[in-house]
Structures are given as C-alpha cells and as structure tokens.
Amino acid sequence: MGDQSPSHSDYSSSVDSTNYFQQCKYIHEVELVNMKLQMRILETHLETKDRLLRNLEDIIDEQETRIANMEDFIQGRTAAYTPPTVMLHGISALSLDFGSLSEENLRLKEALRAGHRKERINELLETDEDYESDMTSVSGEGESARNGNNDLMTQSAIVASKARAFIDEHQISRLKRCAEELKNEKDELKRLSQDMKDAFTVCMGEVKLLLESKTVDFFKVLMERYKAEMERRKTLHNQLVELNGNIRVFYRIRPLLSTRDQAAIRIDSMDEGVVHLEHSSGRKTSRAADFVIPTKFSQNEIFEQVSPIVTSCIDGYNVCIFAYGHTGSGKTYTMEGPSEDPGINQRAILQLFEAAQERGNDIEYTIKLSMIEIYNDKIRDILSTSSSTSSSLTLRRDDSGHLSIPGLECREVISPSDVKNVLKEGSTNRVVAATDANANSSRSHVIVRVHVHAKNNVTGSTTIGRLNLVDLAGSERVSQTNATGQLLKEAQAINKSLSELGNVVFALRQGQKHVPFRNCVLTRLLEDSLHGDSKTLVLVHISPEETHVCESISSINFAEKIGQVQMKGPNAFKRAESVRKSTRVGGKMESPHTTPKKTNK
Ligand code: ADP
Ligand code: MG
C-alpha cells in the first residue's frame, strides 16, 4: 500500500519553496504565486483523498477476507483461524499520511501568510502613481521602475531634508521675528516705565512743593500760635505772681526749741495773716503779713508756698528769696535745712529740673550754680578752692551792661545728685571759712545763685533767669551784741547791708525812680535780680521765745517797712484794723533797728 501512495516528500518539496516569494517584486507576482500555491493545495488534497479512498478500499477488502475466513472456520471448513495483519498496516499508513498532510498544510498556510505580508508591505511602500506607471511600463521596465523608485526615495529624502531644513529655517526666522517683537515690546515697556518715572518725579516734585508751601504756612501758623501760647502762659503765670505782689513778705515762726521756754508770739486763731506779740512789760503788738506760715508746716509745705515764684525763673524772670531774721531764728534751717529734710535751696533747684523736663524737648535748659558769701562787704566764692578767688572778688559791669563777678565759679548741674553735691560743698566751705574769719556762720550773707539758660529749639529764642537764694546774716541789733573791734565792724557791716536791702526793696515797692542799689555789695550784687519784673520774697523768721521778743519785733518792723503789707483777701479789713489798733496800742511803730543814716554815723 505504501508503494501506491504518491511520494509525499516530492509533494511537500514542491510547495515548500517559500523562497518563491522572496523573488517577487510586485503584487501581481505574489498573487500569481498564491494562486499556484492554492492550486497545489487543492491538488494535494485531491491526491490525499484518493489515497485515502484507496486505503479504505484495501481495508474493506481485508475485512471481507477475514469474515470469509471466520465463516469457514466456524462452519468447519478450515481447521484453524489466522487473523490478518494487512488491515493494521493500512491503518497505520493512513495515519502517517494524515500526519504528513497536516504538516504540509501548516507549511502551506505559513507560506500564504508570508505572501500576504509581503503583498501588504509592497502596497504600503509603493505610491499609487508610481505603481500605475510601473504597471504601464511593467514589461521590461522593472529595473528602471526600481531605479525610479529609488530616485523617488532619494528625492523624497532630499525633499524631506530640505523640508526639515526649510522648517528649521522657518522656525528660526519665526523665532527671530518673535524675539525682535519681544525686544521691541521690551523697549516700549522701558520707555513707558521711564515716562511713568519721569511723570511720577514731576508729580512728586509738585506735590512736595505744594506740601512744603502748605507745611510752611501751617508751620508758620503753628509757630505763631505756639509763641502766642508761650507768651500767654508766661503772662498768666506772671500775672498770678503779680496778683500776690512782686515783692512779698512771709513770716515763719519756728517752733519752741525747749519746753521750758515761754511763747511770746502767737498766730491769730481767727486770721492766719496776723501775729500777736506779747512784751514782757505786758504791751501787746499785732502785725499783719502776706502770709504767716503755720508753725506746723513741714519743709515741703513751706516750699509749696514759694514754688510759684521759683517757676518764674524758668520763664526768664529773676527771682530773689531772702531769709531774714536774727541769729537762731531758723534762716539756715529754712534755706538749707537738715540733709534728711532739705530746705528751699535744694527743693527749688530740683523743681527747676522737673519744670525743665515737663517743658519737653522743645526747650533746652542749662542750669548752673554759683555760691557766694558776703562777709564784711566782701565777696567770697565758696565753690572755689583757689585761695585767690575764695578770698575776695569784685563786681564788674560787662559790655552788655550786666553785673558780673569775673572769676566766680559757675558749676553746671545735670542731675539731682549734682545739685546736692554742689550745695554740700559750698556749705562745707562756708563753715570752714567761718572758723577762720568769723566765729559764727550767721555773720555773713550766703547767696546760692542759680542760672537758668533756656533755648527754645522751635522759636530759636533764648532766655536767662536767675534765682538768688539768700540766707542773710543775723539781724540782731549792734547794741545787743556788745561788740567791739572786729566784731563791731562785722556787726556794722551786716546791719548796714540789711538796712540797704530794706531801702532798696522799699524804693522798688514804692516805684521810686532812684533805687539805692550801689550803697552796699549785697544790693549791688542783686541789682539785676531785684528790679524790673523780678520777683522777691522775704521770709521773715521769728523766734517764739519770750527772750527774743525785741528781736522779733525788730524783724516785724523791717518786714513792714519793705513790704508795706498789702491788705488783700476776705480778712483784709480785719487785718488792716488789727494793724491800725496795734499802732494805736503800741503808741507808735517800732522803728527799724538800724537805718543807713545811723550806721553811717
Ligand atoms: P539761723 O540760721 O537763723 O541762725 P538756724 O537755722 O541755725 O538759725 O536755727 C537755729 C536752731 O533752731 C537750729 O538748731 C535749728 O535746727 C532750729 N530750728 C530752726 N527752725 C526750725 C524749725 N522750723 N523746726 C525745728 N527746728 C528748727
Ligand atoms: Mg544761719
């Protein structure tokens, strides 16, 4: 049966040549090969079917033979039965055919797929036009078509590269144009920005000018108002002080120093402006003053009474505060005071500091201190350690017409501790000098002079105010001291200067044309601080002890002379009446203990 079947290997080799497609250039060639292959597949199928039919016929033949053999054996026509093997052989040959057939089919299918793939590739590669022209000139022009195609490809590549180059160039030029436009826009923006800047500068300049002119106007108005207000405040303060009198007299009666002492002086229980004195003889005298400081008043309360005129100094006014009274009446206690409870000197200067601070930064204040002692009508600098200046100085009138003491030490103080230190130094020097020159420090006048220089930074104006804090020498009468020689000379000098002071203050109070400033060093030294708008306060100190009644009366008379005590306030009539009565009761006013005339004699 194997011999009958066609050679399977021949068949397969005929269809196995897939190289066939490799040689195909065009689609029609591929299609041709495809057709051939399909034909071959059909032929192969037919051959295979034929072969199968033949095999089946063989098998049927074998089966029929076998059945016949079996019938023979069953019917006893044959002795033995031998099964045939031919059929099995036919079946195995058949299965082999099927196997090779299926493999062949697979190869054919693969060849077909390759053919289709190739066809599709050609379709894609060739343009329609090229293909058409190739088809028309297909006969014998295959090679030239291929070359044409190659040329086309080359051209296409060239065109593509040109196109790319063109695109690149186009892109570059477009980018360049964009860059140019951007540059132009940038320049335009720059110009605009500059224009705006210029416009802004011009506008700001105009606004500035406008503001300046407005500000200058506004500032001028403010300055005028400020100046007016400053002047108004000064005037009001001055009026307030003047209302109380530019020259005022206060009494201070110190407390009894010993419980054994008898008080001969008392303040009127109904009117604090009147004091009553009771002489040992029984004679009674009553006197009125601007103000009688109650005995219970503390140092601070007393200072509160004098502080308004101290404040005048910061406004450029000259101020004098005198402590008048006999030795032991409490002058130094009032002015200097104990360190734990200081007197007017320290409190006044500290108040100037406070007032300067309250006025703010607009006004720059400089506060300087000098300390002078007048002993035997001679000026001594008690802040100087130099023996020449501490011994004796002279008064000079400078070019501006002001009296000055050349060589006098003047210390600037910038803090409360400075003030305390300088005052303490002067006080110590005075005590040391007192032991050398005079036995009792109450035998000289001591002047603490405060110079307040104010510079208004807003208006540019400057003012100078002077505050003279004077602790006068004891006013006891010469006749009572039993002094002779140096002590008599000393006492006479003191009495003369106190009398001259009385005369000057009296003349000023009376508004006399001639004021006898030149009669002694004390009044000459204080000339600038006593006349004009100057404020003067005389604190007349009185001892309450019976033993000092005469001195007390003498001091009261002095106060009356210089003050011509004004009758003011609700109790003015009563006080005036009281004074009138006292004059009547006493027969006549006590005359001052000394007069210039008497001293001159
Ligand atoms: P003056 O300076 O007038 O000679 P002082 O100031 O030295 O007198 O005072 C004499 C004495 O009286 C001192 O011991 C002082 O302490 C005392 N004294 C003066 N005034 C007062 C007072 N208001 N309160 C208490 N003691 C005083
Ligand atoms: Mg004294």
Side-chain angles (χ1 to χ4, degrees), residues 5-33:
S5 60
S7 167
H8 191 76
S9 60
D10 289 349
Y11 170 72
S12 67
S13 65
S14 63
V15 289
D16 194 28
S17 59
T18 48
N19 291 338
Y20 219 85
F21 286 111
Q22 306 285 336
Q23 292 163 8
C24 294
K25 286 182 193 165
Y26 303 107
I27 189 71
H28 66 276
E29 289 174 347
V30 175
E31 279 174 351
L32 207 65
V33 172

Side-chain angles (χ1 to χ4, degrees), residues 591-601:
S591 60
H593 52 281
T594 46
T595 61
K597 269 184 184 175
K598 270 183 186 172
T599 317
N600 286 339
K601 276 174 190 172

Side-chain angles (χ1 to χ4, degrees), residues 165-302:
F166 175 72
I167 286 166
D168 287 351
E169 266 176 37
H170 181 71
Q171 287 276 51
I172 287 163
S173 68
R174 204 161 64 85
L175 282 171
K176 271 185 183 170
R177 267 200 312 281
C178 275
E180 192 64 30
E181 279 170 17
L182 279 172
K183 200 170 166 271
N184 290 341
E185 276 177 22
K186 190 183 159 193
D187 292 345
E188 185 66 18
L189 274 172
K190 258 187 184 173
R191 266 198 306 282
L192 270 173
S193 146
Q194 189 57 43
D195 287 353
M196 276 186 72
K197 232 180 186 175
D198 294 346
F200 183 73
T201 312
V202 170
C203 191
M204 280 309 286
E206 280 171 12
V207 169
K208 206 175 156 195
L209 280 175
L210 195 76
L211 269 175
E212 266 172 14
S213 71
K214 292 266 181 212
T215 312
V216 166
D217 291 348
F218 183 63
F219 188 68
K220 269 184 193 163
V221 173
L222 271 183
M223 279 292 284
E224 276 161 19
R225 283 190 190 166
Y226 174 74
K227 275 184 186 170
E229 279 306 308
M230 285 284 284
E231 287 309 313
R232 203 170 126 77
R233 189 190 58 72
K234 275 188 191 179
T235 312
L236 282 173
H237 184 81
N238 195 38
Q239 278 172 0
L240 187 75
V241 175
E242 276 176 357
L243 208 66
N244 293 317
N246 261 354
I247 299 173
R248 305 196 74 206
V249 181
F250 287 3
Y251 288 161
R252 186 179 193 187
I253 304 165
R254 72 152 164 77
L256 286 167
L257 294 177
S258 161
T259 48
R260 283 170 300 179
D261 286 328
Q262 197 75 28
I265 290 181
R266 62 178 175 84
I267 299 167
D268 193 308
S269 57
M270 302 298 286
D271 187 347
E272 288 184 340
V274 174
V275 288
H276 301 291
L277 285 96
E278 202 167 325
H279 296 254
S280 50
S281 62
R283 187 161 55 96
K284 288 182 181 170
T285 308
S286 299
R287 290 287 189 276
D290 285 330
F291 181 58
V292 181
I293 298 164
T295 315
K296 62 178 187 312
F297 260 31
S298 66
Q299 296 279 76
N300 189 47
E301 283 171 315
I302 290 167

